[in-house]
Amino acid sequence: MVETIESVWHANQTWLVMLGGVLFGAFPVVYGTILVPLYLPAGLLLFAFMARGIGLECRAQAANKRPWSLLFGWGSLAVILAHGFLIGSVLQGMPFTGRTYMAALLTGSRPLPCSCA
């Protein structure tokens, strides 16, 4: 299975990172307002992307493939959880007063983000 996705994984995650860049360039106020309370799951998402990519790339050249397969697997699990927390937080609604976020920083502790993850 890993050999199947090895040649196309770059494109599949690059569009998500590009979406953040386009959001910053086109709508900087929206980016600054919505992403600030979601820094923790968004940061986890970026680190999970890196772990998944490193695991996949290094697995191809390694003699012992198990540690790199584990890194790829844990990175993939972290991507799923981070996406769930991000999407659940946005779908549940985020309380703002003006441009100020009015809830706890751990938005993932609410019911919908946890169930989405």
Side-chain angles (χ1 to χ4, degrees), residues 9-77:
W9 75 271
H10 297 287
N12 288 336
Q13 69 187 22
T14 302
W15 70 269
L16 292 169
V17 177
M18 290 296 295
L19 180 65
V22 168
L23 182 64
F24 175 72
F27 308 103
V29 174
V30 173
Y31 178 86
T33 305
I34 292 183
L35 204 59
V36 167
L38 299 174
Y39 274 151
L40 191 61
L44 174 66
L45 180 66
L46 291 176
F47 280 114
F49 278 155
M50 288 187 284
R52 192 167 71 168
I54 290 168
L56 193 60
E57 290 293 327
C58 292
R59 183 185 181 282
Q61 287 113 21
N64 184 8
K65 296 186 185 308
R66 179 153 172 79
W68 301 111
S69 295
L70 287 174
L71 182 64
F72 175 73
W74 285 109
S76 297
L77 179 66

Side-chain angles (χ1 to χ4, degrees), residues 86-104:
L86 286 168
I87 291 171
S89 295
V90 171
L91 289 178
Q92 182 167 349
M94 301 164 57
F96 287 98
T97 300
R99 291 186 191 168
T100 307
Y101 183 62
M102 301 303 295

